Amino acid sequence: MKKALITGVTGQDGSYLAEFLLLKGYEVHGLVRRASTFNRERIDHLFDLAKHHEKTNNTSSFTLHYGDLGDSASLTRILLQVQPDEVYNLAAQSHVKISFDLPVYTADVTGLGTLRLLEAVRDLGTTPKIYLAGSSEMFGMVREIPQKETTPFYPRSPYGAAKVFNYWMGVNYRESYDMFISNGILFNHESPRRGENFVTRKITLGVAAIKLGLQKQLKLGNLKAKRDWGYAKDYVEGMWMMLQHDQPDDFVLATGETHTVEEFCKVSFEHAGMDWQDYVVTDPKYFRPAEVDLLIGDATKAKEKLGWEHKTSFKELAALMVEHDINYLKNRYHL
């Protein structure tokens, strides 16, 4: 049985990845920060999933450990205790707009947090395969269209800059210390588990609330921004594939299509039988200080070397998120 350690396990990607690995028969360990209130809605079901597999196959288990990417001692302790075969570093302050409000914190957790983790692994002398989460935001003001592994970076936010540091630390430790480290440069990937302050989830929750009569309009920022949107559940499989590859490498995961925020609004409202133009209002406070206008990825390398492809279309993604949020709000407000 393989053992995996996931930082950021309570997030969207962490929860889907933990679910995926448990179904593969892994012993899964997750790093969680201590908070005054629990924020584990995305992973509560995983304990039952692990118990079911443990009974039927005598495999799989799910364990949480308190730790923080800002605390080197906790990282060393957990790595020593777990002795993982694979480490997936997904933890970050990952909201781009908020990174302008919290630039130092974003740089510390998203950038230096990776360095602390790599140093802890190196100091212990262990040899887990390591996945580092990159981001299409590293390309920022894009140097070529579409963006691939060799495209130069030009980040346009503290978050994007921190992810560039994260990426190059991975490359340097791979080349300097012969560590198995793969960088995943994932373009936007969404799901019903996306945080409610990310634009896609804000849209689908807004659609659901308007459909149910809970609100009258939806305020958004730059409607013309173009993004390459996929389904997070498809993308976590790509993370795993990178660590099963015979050599560590860097891979773009993307759909190869770009759509505007306006288009996401249109298909989401249409799925609920409404016209987005009757409800969406542009509010300047939601614009970033520096905008990223266009992102579209080329995942040819991942397809050829890993056999990875996205499975869920743009319209299917919007539809499944809207359906989830309508049911979510019905249950929440007992409608």
Side-chain angles (χ1 to χ4, degrees), residues 167-314:
Y167 171 90
W168 283 116
M169 281 296 101
V171 172
N172 274 271
Y173 272 61
R174 181 171 69 208
E175 295 177 353
S176 300
Y177 305 116
D178 196 29
M179 296 168 69
F180 193 113
I181 301 171
S182 289
N183 285 297
I185 307 172
L186 274 56
F187 280 64
N188 293 64
H189 45 289
E190 318 299 318
S191 76
R193 298 181 193 174
R194 189 57 139 155
E196 295 183 11
N197 59 350
F198 286 81
V199 68
T200 51
R201 188 77 195 288
K202 186 176 178 181
I203 291 169
T204 59
L205 272 171
V207 170
I210 291 168
K211 181 73 173 178
L212 297 172
L214 298 172
Q215 69 185 59
K216 294 182 178 179
Q217 61 179 207
L218 174 62
K219 293 182 179 180
L220 297 171
N222 183 8
L223 298 180
K224 301 302 180 185
K226 294 181 177 180
R227 294 292 184 271
D228 185 325
W229 276 304
Y231 184 25
K233 200 169 184 178
D234 295 342
Y235 284 54
V236 298
E237 183 175 6
M239 298 176 187
W240 175 78
M241 286 178 167
M242 290 180 207
L243 296 197
Q244 311 319 304
H245 194 50
D246 54 354
Q247 295 293 329
D249 206 343
D250 306 322
F251 296 94
V252 163
L253 299 187
T255 70
E257 298 178 11
T258 190
H259 299 274
T260 62
V261 174
E262 183 178 295
E263 287 179 85
F264 200 96
C265 286
K266 183 175 183 292
V267 297
S268 298
F269 275 93
E270 280 182 352
H271 184 75
M274 298 182 288
D275 185 342
W276 73 276
Q277 295 181 87
D278 294 335
Y279 305 100
V280 175
V281 177
T282 301
D283 189 333
K285 79 176 184 179
Y286 294 114
F287 281 73
R288 301 176 185 177
E291 286 289 335
V292 173
D293 298 318
L294 167 67
L295 293 173
I296 178 170
D298 179 357
T300 300
K301 181 178 176 181
K303 181 179 180 180
E304 292 178 350
K305 290 197 171 188
L306 304 177
W308 180 88
E309 286 186 276
H310 80 285
K311 303 179 183 73
T312 310
S313 73
F314 176 69

Side-chain angles (χ1 to χ4, degrees), residues 113-133:
T114 296
L115 180 57
R116 293 186 188 101
L117 178 64
L118 295 179
E119 274 293 278
V121 172
R122 190 171 73 89
D123 287 347
L124 288 172
T126 55
T127 57
K129 294 182 175 182
I130 301 171
Y131 170 85
L132 298 182

